Amino acid sequence: MTEFLRRGGSLRIRNGLIFDGVSEVLHERDLVIIDGIIQPDGAEAPADVPDWDACGGLVTPGFIDAHLHAYALSLDLIRNETTQLSYIAHVARRRLGSALRRGFTTVRDVAGGDAGRHRAIAEGLFTAPRYFYSGPALSQSGGHGDPVRADETLCFHSGPGLEIVDGVDALRVAARERLRGGASVIKVMASGGVISPTDPLRIPQYSHDELAVVVEEATRRGVYVAAHAYSPAAIQHALAAGVRSIEHGNLMDAATAQLMADAGAYLVPTLAAYDAMSRLGEQVGLTSVGLAKNAEVLEQGRVAIALAAERGVRVGFGSDLMGELETEQLAGLRLQHDVSGTLALLRSLTSVNADLVQDDRLGRIRPGAAADVLVFDGNPFDDPTLLWREDRRPRVVLDGVPVLAS
Ligand code: ZN
Ligand code: ZN
């Protein structure tokens, strides 16, 4: 289990309407937090504990973004992978801080992160969401993680967010290296992608044996594999190898959704990314190849969520925003709300994503849980725009400590 520093603040939140992360029944009651832990209903807070009046507003578990790229400076993969890590670390710090202030108290970084970054956060060198990471995402040569264009001679092997690894034996080593570095998930590129220059969107990537060896190493360690995949063929290819977390999944069909449900796999939709790239991609440097690929997956992303939910697939939430598009994180809530509605979206953001990252301290308001909590100025069940409006962000509590808005 990923360990986090216990800052352990104490707080009493009065007059809140509690959404526990799962139940559609909301409870009007006070919430008492002692040393960063949510206390049983009716617990007394010591007199010196700070006191907040929620004024009847909704109190929810802190949100979890299960597909974030803290290291993605831009939509230019070469630039991202060749910029010095000293600079990237500062950009990542800013991006993580922004996510926290929007209400994301936990993120899962699926192309980057290392034990040093996790340690810096755990030691309180800067304030950031709880940070789960995969280390560099694994890609085959010419796959979604390969930034080299067809007519270039550049020799690219690895960077902070991506690594090209081919072959079963090399992938076994790469998986073990990530596990040594504290990765709680291993990320593989299992189909073409929007911003990669040479790969068709729909074609599965990696052989079965290559994917299966990564799953074998991860599973033995008690972690799991997340696969970037769009098409039914690519999703089925990933599921057959034992992948647990399907990232994007936009081109999914009904039969594939059923296979996901049968396998107990999660879908992590990332609608914000395609919406933002369609509106802003050209001005932030997305190539014409990328724009054409993006158009193909944009509309189908909504359909995929509906198909998955109908068949009982657990649907999480991710943003997947790179470069300047990072500011569109909250738009993802609006887009997923259009398909799922308030209750399902809130579950995706809290308990479903917590189960996905395999940490039962997160994503629920219940006794003993970590006190990552949002206090809304109103009730998003009455006014869902409160979930995504920049000017109405909730008060954010991380491990029992209020996060300042500035
Ligand atoms: Zn992806
Ligand atoms: Zn991504």
Short mmCIF file of all heavy atoms in Angstrom, two decimals, residues 112-180:
data_model
loop_
_atom_site.label_atom_id
_atom_site.label_comp_id
_atom_site.label_asym_id
_atom_site.label_seq_id
_atom_site.Cartn_x
_atom_site.Cartn_y
_atom_site.Cartn_z
N GLY A 112 4.55 8.68 -15.66
CA GLY A 112 5.57 9.44 -14.93
C GLY A 112 5.48 9.18 -13.45
O GLY A 112 4.77 8.28 -12.99
N GLY A 113 6.20 10.00 -12.72
CA GLY A 113 6.24 9.85 -11.27
C GLY A 113 7.35 8.91 -10.85
O GLY A 113 7.73 7.99 -11.58
N ASP A 114 7.90 9.18 -9.71
CA ASP A 114 8.92 8.29 -9.15
C ASP A 114 8.93 8.44 -7.63
O ASP A 114 8.18 9.25 -7.07
CB ASP A 114 10.30 8.57 -9.76
CG ASP A 114 10.79 9.99 -9.51
OD1 ASP A 114 10.29 10.65 -8.57
OD2 ASP A 114 11.68 10.44 -10.25
N ALA A 115 9.77 7.65 -7.00
CA ALA A 115 9.79 7.64 -5.54
C ALA A 115 10.26 8.98 -4.98
O ALA A 115 9.87 9.38 -3.88
CB ALA A 115 10.68 6.51 -5.05
N GLY A 116 11.10 9.69 -5.73
CA GLY A 116 11.57 11.00 -5.27
C GLY A 116 10.45 12.01 -5.17
O GLY A 116 10.34 12.75 -4.19
N ARG A 117 9.62 12.05 -6.20
CA ARG A 117 8.47 12.96 -6.17
C ARG A 117 7.52 12.58 -5.03
O ARG A 117 7.03 13.44 -4.29
CB ARG A 117 7.74 12.90 -7.51
CG ARG A 117 6.36 13.55 -7.51
CD ARG A 117 6.03 14.09 -8.87
NE ARG A 117 7.06 15.02 -9.28
CZ ARG A 117 7.12 16.29 -8.88
NH1 ARG A 117 6.18 16.79 -8.12
NH2 ARG A 117 8.12 17.07 -9.25
N HIS A 118 7.27 11.28 -4.90
CA HIS A 118 6.39 10.83 -3.83
C HIS A 118 6.96 11.21 -2.47
O HIS A 118 6.25 11.68 -1.58
CB HIS A 118 6.21 9.32 -3.93
CG HIS A 118 5.31 8.77 -2.87
ND1 HIS A 118 5.79 8.20 -1.72
CD2 HIS A 118 3.96 8.75 -2.77
CE1 HIS A 118 4.78 7.83 -0.96
NE2 HIS A 118 3.66 8.15 -1.57
N ARG A 119 8.28 11.07 -2.32
CA ARG A 119 8.91 11.40 -1.04
C ARG A 119 8.80 12.90 -0.75
O ARG A 119 8.53 13.31 0.38
CB ARG A 119 10.38 10.97 -1.09
CG ARG A 119 11.15 11.31 0.16
CD ARG A 119 12.58 10.82 0.05
NE ARG A 119 13.42 11.42 1.08
CZ ARG A 119 14.73 11.32 1.12
NH1 ARG A 119 15.38 10.62 0.19
NH2 ARG A 119 15.41 11.88 2.08
N ALA A 120 9.01 13.72 -1.78
CA ALA A 120 8.93 15.17 -1.59
C ALA A 120 7.53 15.57 -1.11
O ALA A 120 7.38 16.44 -0.24
CB ALA A 120 9.27 15.89 -2.89
N ILE A 121 6.51 14.94 -1.67
CA ILE A 121 5.13 15.23 -1.25
C ILE A 121 4.92 14.72 0.17
O ILE A 121 4.38 15.42 1.03
CB ILE A 121 4.12 14.59 -2.23
CG1 ILE A 121 4.25 15.25 -3.61
CG2 ILE A 121 2.69 14.74 -1.70
CD1 ILE A 121 3.46 14.55 -4.70
N ALA A 122 5.38 13.48 0.42
CA ALA A 122 5.16 12.87 1.74
C ALA A 122 5.86 13.66 2.84
O ALA A 122 5.37 13.73 3.97
CB ALA A 122 5.64 11.43 1.72
N GLU A 123 7.01 14.26 2.53
CA GLU A 123 7.74 15.04 3.53
C GLU A 123 7.19 16.46 3.67
O GLU A 123 7.71 17.24 4.46
CB GLU A 123 9.23 15.09 3.17
CG GLU A 123 9.92 13.75 3.35
CD GLU A 123 11.41 13.79 3.00
OE1 GLU A 123 11.90 14.84 2.55
OE2 GLU A 123 12.06 12.75 3.18
N GLY A 124 6.19 16.79 2.86
CA GLY A 124 5.57 18.11 2.97
C GLY A 124 6.41 19.22 2.35
O GLY A 124 6.25 20.39 2.71
N LEU A 125 7.33 18.89 1.42
CA LEU A 125 8.12 19.94 0.77
C LEU A 125 7.21 20.86 -0.03
O LEU A 125 7.53 22.01 -0.27
CB LEU A 125 9.18 19.32 -0.13
CG LEU A 125 10.26 18.48 0.58
CD1 LEU A 125 11.31 18.00 -0.41
CD2 LEU A 125 10.93 19.30 1.70
N PHE A 126 6.10 20.34 -0.50
CA PHE A 126 5.07 21.17 -1.10
C PHE A 126 3.74 20.45 -0.92
O PHE A 126 3.71 19.25 -0.65
CB PHE A 126 5.35 21.49 -2.57
CG PHE A 126 5.41 20.28 -3.47
CD1 PHE A 126 4.34 19.93 -4.26
CD2 PHE A 126 6.57 19.50 -3.52
CE1 PHE A 126 4.40 18.82 -5.10
CE2 PHE A 126 6.64 18.41 -4.36
CZ PHE A 126 5.56 18.06 -5.15
N THR A 127 2.67 21.20 -1.03
CA THR A 127 1.34 20.63 -0.82
C THR A 127 0.80 20.11 -2.14
O THR A 127 0.76 20.85 -3.12
CB THR A 127 0.39 21.68 -0.23
OG1 THR A 127 0.98 22.18 0.97
CG2 THR A 127 -0.96 21.06 0.10
N ALA A 128 0.41 18.87 -2.16
CA ALA A 128 -0.06 18.23 -3.38
C ALA A 128 -1.07 17.17 -3.01
O ALA A 128 -1.14 16.73 -1.85
CB ALA A 128 1.11 17.59 -4.12
N PRO A 129 -1.86 16.74 -3.97
CA PRO A 129 -2.77 15.61 -3.70
C PRO A 129 -1.96 14.35 -3.36
O PRO A 129 -0.76 14.26 -3.66
CB PRO A 129 -3.49 15.41 -5.04
CG PRO A 129 -3.26 16.66 -5.83
CD PRO A 129 -1.96 17.22 -5.36
N ARG A 130 -2.60 13.38 -2.75
CA ARG A 130 -1.98 12.06 -2.60
C ARG A 130 -1.63 11.57 -4.00
O ARG A 130 -2.42 11.69 -4.92
CB ARG A 130 -2.94 11.09 -1.92
CG ARG A 130 -3.32 11.52 -0.51
CD ARG A 130 -4.33 10.56 0.09
NE ARG A 130 -4.96 11.17 1.25
CZ ARG A 130 -4.55 11.00 2.51
NH1 ARG A 130 -3.52 10.24 2.77
NH2 ARG A 130 -5.19 11.60 3.51
N TYR A 131 -0.45 10.99 -4.13
CA TYR A 131 0.12 10.79 -5.46
C TYR A 131 0.43 9.31 -5.71
O TYR A 131 1.36 8.76 -5.13
CB TYR A 131 1.39 11.63 -5.55
CG TYR A 131 2.04 11.68 -6.92
CD1 TYR A 131 1.41 12.29 -7.98
CD2 TYR A 131 3.30 11.12 -7.13
CE1 TYR A 131 2.01 12.36 -9.23
CE2 TYR A 131 3.91 11.18 -8.37
CZ TYR A 131 3.26 11.80 -9.41
OH TYR A 131 3.85 11.86 -10.64
N PHE A 132 -0.37 8.69 -6.56
CA PHE A 132 -0.09 7.33 -7.04
C PHE A 132 0.56 7.46 -8.42
O PHE A 132 0.16 8.32 -9.21
CB PHE A 132 -1.40 6.54 -7.18
CG PHE A 132 -2.08 6.24 -5.87
CD1 PHE A 132 -2.91 7.18 -5.27
CD2 PHE A 132 -1.90 5.02 -5.23
CE1 PHE A 132 -3.54 6.92 -4.06
CE2 PHE A 132 -2.53 4.74 -4.02
CZ PHE A 132 -3.35 5.69 -3.44
N TYR A 133 1.50 6.59 -8.73
CA TYR A 133 2.20 6.78 -10.01
C TYR A 133 2.59 5.44 -10.62
O TYR A 133 2.77 4.43 -9.94
CB TYR A 133 3.44 7.65 -9.81
CG TYR A 133 4.43 7.10 -8.80
CD1 TYR A 133 5.50 6.30 -9.20
CD2 TYR A 133 4.28 7.38 -7.45
CE1 TYR A 133 6.39 5.80 -8.27
CE2 TYR A 133 5.16 6.88 -6.52
CZ TYR A 133 6.22 6.09 -6.93
OH TYR A 133 7.10 5.58 -6.01
N SER A 134 2.75 5.50 -11.95
CA SER A 134 3.12 4.30 -12.71
C SER A 134 4.60 4.29 -13.09
O SER A 134 5.12 3.27 -13.51
CB SER A 134 2.30 4.23 -14.00
OG SER A 134 2.62 5.33 -14.84
N GLY A 135 5.27 5.45 -12.96
CA GLY A 135 6.56 5.58 -13.63
C GLY A 135 6.32 5.72 -15.12
O GLY A 135 5.17 5.77 -15.58
N PRO A 136 7.40 5.78 -15.91
CA PRO A 136 7.21 5.96 -17.36
C PRO A 136 6.32 4.87 -17.95
O PRO A 136 6.48 3.68 -17.65
CB PRO A 136 8.64 5.86 -17.91
CG PRO A 136 9.51 6.25 -16.76
CD PRO A 136 8.82 5.74 -15.53
N ALA A 137 5.38 5.29 -18.81
CA ALA A 137 4.50 4.34 -19.48
C ALA A 137 5.30 3.51 -20.48
O ALA A 137 6.23 4.02 -21.12
CB ALA A 137 3.38 5.09 -20.19
N LEU A 138 4.94 2.26 -20.62
CA LEU A 138 5.65 1.34 -21.51
C LEU A 138 5.00 1.33 -22.89
O LEU A 138 3.78 1.20 -23.01
CB LEU A 138 5.61 -0.07 -20.92
CG LEU A 138 6.37 -0.24 -19.60
CD1 LEU A 138 5.96 -1.52 -18.89
CD2 LEU A 138 7.88 -0.22 -19.87
N SER A 139 5.84 1.44 -23.91
CA SER A 139 5.34 1.42 -25.29
C SER A 139 6.26 0.59 -26.16
O SER A 139 7.47 0.58 -25.97
CB SER A 139 5.28 2.85 -25.84
OG SER A 139 5.03 2.84 -27.25
N GLN A 140 5.66 -0.07 -27.15
CA GLN A 140 6.48 -0.75 -28.15
C GLN A 140 7.08 0.30 -29.10
O GLN A 140 6.61 1.43 -29.18
CB GLN A 140 5.63 -1.74 -28.94
CG GLN A 140 4.58 -1.07 -29.82
CD GLN A 140 3.88 -2.07 -30.75
OE1 GLN A 140 3.37 -3.09 -30.30
NE2 GLN A 140 3.89 -1.77 -32.04
N SER A 141 8.10 -0.07 -29.84
CA SER A 141 8.64 0.79 -30.88
C SER A 141 7.54 1.12 -31.88
O SER A 141 6.80 0.23 -32.32
CB SER A 141 9.79 0.10 -31.61
OG SER A 141 10.88 -0.06 -30.74
N GLY A 142 7.40 2.39 -32.21
CA GLY A 142 6.35 2.81 -33.13
C GLY A 142 4.97 2.82 -32.51
O GLY A 142 3.97 3.00 -33.19
N GLY A 143 4.89 2.65 -31.21
CA GLY A 143 3.61 2.64 -30.51
C GLY A 143 3.24 4.03 -29.99
O GLY A 143 3.90 5.02 -30.31
N HIS A 144 2.20 4.08 -29.16
CA HIS A 144 1.67 5.36 -28.71
C HIS A 144 2.68 6.15 -27.86
O HIS A 144 2.61 7.37 -27.79
CB HIS A 144 0.38 5.13 -27.92
CG HIS A 144 -0.19 6.39 -27.37
ND1 HIS A 144 -0.38 7.53 -28.12
CD2 HIS A 144 -0.62 6.70 -26.11
CE1 HIS A 144 -0.90 8.48 -27.36
NE2 HIS A 144 -1.04 8.01 -26.15
N GLY A 145 3.62 5.45 -27.25
CA GLY A 145 4.62 6.16 -26.44
C GLY A 145 5.89 6.46 -27.20
O GLY A 145 6.87 6.91 -26.59
N ASP A 146 5.90 6.24 -28.50
CA ASP A 146 7.11 6.51 -29.30
C ASP A 146 6.92 7.84 -30.03
O ASP A 146 6.10 7.94 -30.94
CB ASP A 146 7.33 5.37 -30.30
CG ASP A 146 8.68 5.48 -31.00
OD1 ASP A 146 9.26 6.58 -30.99
OD2 ASP A 146 9.14 4.46 -31.54
N PRO A 147 7.69 8.86 -29.64
CA PRO A 147 7.46 10.20 -30.21
C PRO A 147 8.16 10.44 -31.54
O PRO A 147 8.02 11.52 -32.12
CB PRO A 147 8.07 11.11 -29.13
CG PRO A 147 9.17 10.30 -28.53
CD PRO A 147 8.70 8.87 -28.58
N VAL A 148 8.89 9.46 -32.04
CA VAL A 148 9.72 9.68 -33.24
C VAL A 148 8.87 9.58 -34.50
O VAL A 148 8.16 8.59 -34.71
CB VAL A 148 10.88 8.66 -33.29
CG1 VAL A 148 11.76 8.94 -34.51
CG2 VAL A 148 11.71 8.73 -32.00
N ARG A 149 8.98 10.60 -35.36
CA ARG A 149 8.23 10.60 -36.62
C ARG A 149 8.88 9.66 -37.61
O ARG A 149 10.06 9.31 -37.50
CB ARG A 149 8.19 12.01 -37.20
CG ARG A 149 7.36 12.95 -36.38
CD ARG A 149 7.62 14.41 -36.77
NE ARG A 149 7.25 15.27 -35.68
CZ ARG A 149 6.06 15.85 -35.52
NH1 ARG A 149 5.13 15.64 -36.41
NH2 ARG A 149 5.80 16.61 -34.48
N ALA A 150 8.09 9.28 -38.63
CA ALA A 150 8.55 8.27 -39.59
C ALA A 150 9.82 8.69 -40.31
O ALA A 150 10.67 7.85 -40.63
CB ALA A 150 7.43 7.99 -40.60
N ASP A 151 9.97 10.00 -40.57
CA ASP A 151 11.11 10.45 -41.37
C ASP A 151 12.24 11.04 -40.50
O ASP A 151 13.12 11.70 -41.01
CB ASP A 151 10.66 11.48 -42.40
CG ASP A 151 10.03 12.70 -41.76
OD1 ASP A 151 9.79 12.68 -40.53
OD2 ASP A 151 9.76 13.68 -42.47
N GLU A 152 12.19 10.81 -39.20
CA GLU A 152 13.23 11.32 -38.31
C GLU A 152 14.26 10.23 -38.00
O GLU A 152 13.94 9.03 -38.02
CB GLU A 152 12.62 11.78 -36.97
CG GLU A 152 11.96 13.13 -37.04
CD GLU A 152 11.31 13.53 -35.72
OE1 GLU A 152 10.98 12.64 -34.91
OE2 GLU A 152 11.11 14.72 -35.51
N THR A 153 15.47 10.68 -37.66
CA THR A 153 16.51 9.72 -37.29
C THR A 153 16.80 9.77 -35.79
O THR A 153 17.70 9.11 -35.31
CB THR A 153 17.81 10.02 -38.04
OG1 THR A 153 18.19 11.38 -37.79
CG2 THR A 153 17.64 9.81 -39.53
N LEU A 154 16.02 10.55 -35.07
CA LEU A 154 16.22 10.70 -33.62
C LEU A 154 16.21 9.34 -32.92
O LEU A 154 15.36 8.49 -33.21
CB LEU A 154 15.09 11.57 -33.06
CG LEU A 154 15.12 11.86 -31.57
CD1 LEU A 154 16.20 12.89 -31.25
CD2 LEU A 154 13.77 12.38 -31.12
N CYS A 155 17.16 9.14 -32.02
CA CYS A 155 17.19 7.90 -31.26
C CYS A 155 16.55 8.14 -29.89
O CYS A 155 17.14 8.80 -29.04
CB CYS A 155 18.64 7.43 -31.10
SG CYS A 155 18.76 5.92 -30.12
N PHE A 156 15.33 7.70 -29.71
CA PHE A 156 14.64 7.89 -28.43
C PHE A 156 14.46 6.54 -27.74
O PHE A 156 13.98 5.58 -28.35
CB PHE A 156 13.27 8.54 -28.63
CG PHE A 156 12.49 8.63 -27.33
CD1 PHE A 156 12.75 9.65 -26.42
CD2 PHE A 156 11.53 7.69 -27.00
CE1 PHE A 156 12.07 9.72 -25.22
CE2 PHE A 156 10.83 7.75 -25.80
CZ PHE A 156 11.11 8.78 -24.91
N HIS A 157 14.87 6.49 -26.49
CA HIS A 157 14.69 5.25 -25.73
C HIS A 157 13.77 5.47 -24.54
O HIS A 157 12.80 4.74 -24.33
CB HIS A 157 16.05 4.74 -25.27
CG HIS A 157 15.97 3.59 -24.32
ND1 HIS A 157 15.38 2.39 -24.66
CD2 HIS A 157 16.38 3.47 -23.04
CE1 HIS A 157 15.44 1.58 -23.61
NE2 HIS A 157 16.03 2.21 -22.62
N SER A 158 14.05 6.51 -23.75
CA SER A 158 13.19 6.74 -22.59
C SER A 158 13.31 8.18 -22.12
O SER A 158 14.28 8.87 -22.39
CB SER A 158 13.57 5.80 -21.44
OG SER A 158 14.87 6.11 -20.98
N GLY A 159 12.28 8.62 -21.42
CA GLY A 159 12.25 9.93 -20.80
C GLY A 159 11.48 9.82 -19.50
O GLY A 159 11.17 8.72 -19.05
N PRO A 160 11.13 10.96 -18.90
CA PRO A 160 10.44 10.91 -17.61
C PRO A 160 9.05 10.29 -17.67
O PRO A 160 8.57 9.75 -16.68
CB PRO A 160 10.34 12.38 -17.20
CG PRO A 160 11.12 13.16 -18.18
CD PRO A 160 11.45 12.30 -19.36
N GLY A 161 8.40 10.36 -18.84
CA GLY A 161 7.02 9.87 -18.91
C GLY A 161 6.82 8.65 -19.77
O GLY A 161 5.77 8.00 -19.69
N LEU A 162 7.79 8.33 -20.61
CA LEU A 162 7.61 7.25 -21.58
C LEU A 162 8.89 6.43 -21.69
O LEU A 162 9.99 6.97 -21.58
CB LEU A 162 7.28 7.81 -22.96
CG LEU A 162 6.02 8.66 -23.10
CD1 LEU A 162 6.01 9.38 -24.44
CD2 LEU A 162 4.78 7.81 -22.93
N GLU A 163 8.75 5.13 -21.95
CA GLU A 163 9.92 4.30 -22.23
C GLU A 163 9.55 3.28 -23.31
O GLU A 163 8.47 2.67 -23.26
CB GLU A 163 10.41 3.57 -20.97
CG GLU A 163 11.69 2.79 -21.24
CD GLU A 163 12.33 2.22 -19.97
OE1 GLU A 163 11.78 2.44 -18.87
OE2 GLU A 163 13.37 1.55 -20.10
N ILE A 164 10.43 3.15 -24.29
CA ILE A 164 10.22 2.16 -25.34
C ILE A 164 10.87 0.85 -24.89
O ILE A 164 12.08 0.79 -24.65
CB ILE A 164 10.87 2.60 -26.67
CG1 ILE A 164 10.44 4.01 -27.05
CG2 ILE A 164 10.55 1.60 -27.78
CD1 ILE A 164 8.98 4.19 -27.26
N VAL A 165 10.07 -0.18 -24.75
CA VAL A 165 10.58 -1.49 -24.34
C VAL A 165 9.89 -2.54 -25.20
O VAL A 165 8.66 -2.61 -25.23
CB VAL A 165 10.30 -1.78 -22.84
CG1 VAL A 165 10.91 -3.12 -22.44
CG2 VAL A 165 10.84 -0.67 -21.96
N ASP A 166 10.68 -3.36 -25.89
CA ASP A 166 10.14 -4.42 -26.74
C ASP A 166 10.62 -5.77 -26.23
O ASP A 166 11.77 -5.91 -25.79
CB ASP A 166 10.64 -4.25 -28.18
CG ASP A 166 10.09 -2.99 -28.84
OD1 ASP A 166 8.87 -2.97 -29.11
OD2 ASP A 166 10.86 -2.05 -29.07
N GLY A 167 9.75 -6.77 -26.31
CA GLY A 167 10.15 -8.14 -25.99
C GLY A 167 9.82 -8.54 -24.56
O GLY A 167 9.82 -7.72 -23.64
N VAL A 168 9.50 -9.81 -24.40
CA VAL A 168 9.02 -10.32 -23.10
C VAL A 168 10.06 -10.13 -22.00
O VAL A 168 9.75 -9.64 -20.91
CB VAL A 168 8.63 -11.82 -23.25
CG1 VAL A 168 8.38 -12.44 -21.88
CG2 VAL A 168 7.39 -11.95 -24.13
N ASP A 169 11.29 -10.51 -22.26
CA ASP A 169 12.30 -10.44 -21.19
C ASP A 169 12.56 -9.00 -20.77
O ASP A 169 12.68 -8.70 -19.57
CB ASP A 169 13.61 -11.09 -21.66
CG ASP A 169 13.47 -12.60 -21.82
OD1 ASP A 169 12.47 -13.16 -21.29
OD2 ASP A 169 14.33 -13.22 -22.46
N ALA A 170 12.66 -8.11 -21.74
CA ALA A 170 12.92 -6.70 -21.41
C ALA A 170 11.74 -6.10 -20.66
O ALA A 170 11.92 -5.28 -19.74
CB ALA A 170 13.19 -5.91 -22.69
N LEU A 171 10.53 -6.50 -21.01
CA LEU A 171 9.35 -5.98 -20.31
C LEU A 171 9.29 -6.49 -18.88
O LEU A 171 8.84 -5.79 -17.98
CB LEU A 171 8.07 -6.34 -21.08
CG LEU A 171 7.81 -5.42 -22.27
CD1 LEU A 171 6.83 -6.04 -23.25
CD2 LEU A 171 7.29 -4.06 -21.80
N ARG A 172 9.75 -7.72 -18.67
CA ARG A 172 9.77 -8.24 -17.29
C ARG A 172 10.70 -7.38 -16.43
O ARG A 172 10.36 -7.00 -15.30
CB ARG A 172 10.23 -9.70 -17.27
CG ARG A 172 10.01 -10.36 -15.91
CD ARG A 172 10.58 -11.77 -15.85
NE ARG A 172 9.98 -12.74 -16.73
CZ ARG A 172 8.81 -13.37 -16.50
NH1 ARG A 172 8.11 -13.09 -15.42
NH2 ARG A 172 8.34 -14.25 -17.36
N VAL A 173 11.85 -7.07 -16.96
CA VAL A 173 12.80 -6.21 -16.23
C VAL A 173 12.18 -4.83 -15.99
O VAL A 173 12.23 -4.28 -14.88
CB VAL A 173 14.12 -6.07 -17.01
CG1 VAL A 173 15.05 -5.06 -16.33
CG2 VAL A 173 14.81 -7.42 -17.15
N ALA A 174 11.57 -4.27 -17.03
CA ALA A 174 10.99 -2.92 -16.91
C ALA A 174 9.89 -2.89 -15.84
O ALA A 174 9.78 -1.94 -15.07
CB ALA A 174 10.43 -2.47 -18.25
N ALA A 175 9.06 -3.94 -15.81
CA ALA A 175 8.00 -4.00 -14.79
C ALA A 175 8.62 -4.06 -13.40
O ALA A 175 8.20 -3.35 -12.48
CB ALA A 175 7.11 -5.22 -15.04
N ARG A 176 9.65 -4.88 -13.23
CA ARG A 176 10.28 -5.01 -11.91
C ARG A 176 10.95 -3.71 -11.48
O ARG A 176 10.94 -3.36 -10.29
CB ARG A 176 11.29 -6.16 -11.94
CG ARG A 176 10.61 -7.51 -12.03
CD ARG A 176 11.60 -8.65 -12.15
NE ARG A 176 10.90 -9.93 -12.22
CZ ARG A 176 11.50 -11.09 -12.41
NH1 ARG A 176 12.84 -11.15 -12.55
NH2 ARG A 176 10.80 -12.21 -12.46
N GLU A 177 11.52 -2.99 -12.44
CA GLU A 177 12.13 -1.69 -12.10
C GLU A 177 11.07 -0.73 -11.56
O GLU A 177 11.31 0.00 -10.60
CB GLU A 177 12.78 -1.08 -13.35
CG GLU A 177 14.08 -1.74 -13.74
CD GLU A 177 14.60 -1.25 -15.09
OE1 GLU A 177 13.85 -0.56 -15.83
OE2 GLU A 177 15.75 -1.58 -15.41
N ARG A 178 9.89 -0.73 -12.19
CA ARG A 178 8.84 0.16 -11.71
C ARG A 178 8.36 -0.24 -10.31
O ARG A 178 8.10 0.61 -9.46
CB ARG A 178 7.67 0.14 -12.71
CG ARG A 178 7.96 1.02 -13.92
CD ARG A 178 7.24 0.60 -15.17
NE ARG A 178 7.62 1.50 -16.27
CZ ARG A 178 8.83 1.46 -16.87
NH1 ARG A 178 9.76 0.59 -16.51
NH2 ARG A 178 9.11 2.33 -17.83
N LEU A 179 8.25 -1.54 -10.09
CA LEU A 179 7.81 -2.00 -8.76
C LEU A 179 8.85 -1.66 -7.70
O LEU A 179 8.50 -1.27 -6.58
CB LEU A 179 7.54 -3.50 -8.81
CG LEU A 179 6.40 -3.90 -9.78
CD1 LEU A 179 6.34 -5.41 -9.95
CD2 LEU A 179 5.06 -3.35 -9.29
N ARG A 180 10.12 -1.77 -8.06
CA ARG A 180 11.19 -1.36 -7.12
C ARG A 180 11.04 0.12 -6.77
O ARG A 180 11.31 0.53 -5.65
CB ARG A 180 12.56 -1.61 -7.76
CG ARG A 180 13.73 -1.18 -6.88
CD ARG A 180 15.05 -1.46 -7.57
NE ARG A 180 15.19 -0.69 -8.80
CZ ARG A 180 16.03 -0.99 -9.79
NH1 ARG A 180 16.80 -2.06 -9.70
NH2 ARG A 180 16.09 -0.24 -10.87
#
